[in-house]
Amino acid sequence: MDITDTPDLGKQSTVHTAREPVLFPNQTAFRDNVADRLNDLSTSGMKENLHGLTSFHTRYYKSQWGRESAKWLLGKINDTIVDAGADQHGINVRTFEHPWGQPSLIVTIPGQSNKTVVIGAHQDSINLYFPSIFAAPGADDDGSGTVTILEALRVLLQAQEVLAGDAENTVEFHWYSAEEGGLLGSQAVFSKYEEQGRDVRAMLQQDMTGYVQKTLEAGEPESVGVITDFVDQGLTEFIKRVIETYCDIPYVLTKCGYACSDHASASKAGYPSAFVIESDFKYSDTHIHSAADTVDRLSFDHMLQHAKLTLGLAYELAFAKL
């Protein structure tokens, strides 16, 4: 985590300690509503979007390709909103500008309150050898999470009660810039939210959702990796219930060993956050940060399970009393 540009992130501790802790539900409560939508999730859109996203030479946040890929993604997100007619209900996507050029992207779905549930992924990629020169398709890291949450957004916007703003809470979908630079984009976003006094009640990060080869080679069952360190335990417990309810595969508890993705920025700002990944961490994709992180290594069926988790969690927490 590079705090150079956000040295004050998390310093408003008196505000956070005064805030009542978030009490998450003990079980899922909207199974019928979500079940009506699960079959609308599809791998076809994720495939198309991931092939488009990885067509850029790199999505390195300081590069022209990084700016161009963000513009392309912005267009895809906007198309998703317009196709659902959601733009007629005050739902929009906006850019969160950064000095390095690649913006973060934020979709806001207003609810009955300003209490906010955030679903996140990072849009940038990197080749660690020569970031500005070498190819970094970033299919798994984190193109997979990027298109996973976009697919969940697409289906969530088919729910008329969501479009009408009937949800208890506001829901946001974030695509962060410069995660690979040290969580720079998400730190800037949550620093601003902290400064504004935004009431974020939960944040889930989807970073790497498509690689299962090492899991299967080890003879282990395909599963969703639920990170247990550097996360909010109450939110993480509820995510387990969501997986049990809406996914067709189990979860496995695992540790990252450090604050290894954008959920750490939310956590530092005092917001409850959680992180899920494609597998037990020891079986996660070793091709990342290189030209070998390509689409052909991924399972879209596995990504679909992460989309089910995302949709289920977003709906459940949108309508929960948090």
Side-chain angles (χ1 to χ4, degrees), residues 4-140:
T4 304
D5 296 328
T6 53
D8 295 329
L9 179 63
K11 286 191 175 179
Q12 296 183 38
S13 57
T14 54
V15 175
H16 302 317
T17 53
R19 184 189 301 146
E20 292 184 4
V22 179
L23 298 178
F24 294 98
N26 292 321
Q27 59 186 9
T28 54
F30 299 96
R31 300 185 185 194
D32 291 343
N33 307 70
V34 177
D36 289 341
R37 301 294 170 192
L38 288 179
N39 289 335
D40 295 327
L41 292 167
S42 170
T43 59
S44 60
M46 289 192 289
K47 287 179 181 178
E48 179 181 348
N49 287 330
L50 190 54
H51 279 288
L53 193 64
T54 57
S55 68
F56 294 90
H57 180 68
T58 180
R59 300 189 304 279
Y60 181 53
Y61 69 100
K62 291 183 178 180
S63 70
Q64 180 64 31
W65 292 298
R67 292 186 287 275
E68 291 173 356
S69 63
K71 183 178 180 180
W72 178 90
L73 180 58
L74 176 66
K76 288 293 181 180
I77 297 168
N78 191 62
D79 288 346
T80 299
I81 293 170
V82 172
D83 289 348
D87 56 319
Q88 302 301 312
H89 296 271
I91 297 169
N92 60 79
V93 59
R94 65 183 177 90
T95 59
F96 188 105
E97 300 294 335
H98 302 292
W100 50 83
Q102 182 190 60
S104 295
L105 308 174
I106 297 174
V107 170
T108 302
I109 307 173
Q112 294 294 306
S113 75
N114 290 325
K115 295 178 180 178
T116 302
V117 175
V118 174
I119 304 294
H122 73 87
Q123 58 173 292
D124 63 311
S125 67
I126 194 170
N127 188 309
L128 288 181
Y129 290 102
F130 291 98
S132 298
I133 300 173
F134 283 5
D140 196 24

Side-chain angles (χ1 to χ4, degrees), residues 221-226 240 243-244 247-252 302 305:
E222 186 177 334
S223 55
V224 176
V226 176
K240 296 178 192 177
I243 294 170
E244 291 170 340
C247 294
D248 306 311
I249 60 176
Y251 63 82
V252 60
H302 191 74
Q305 297 301 317

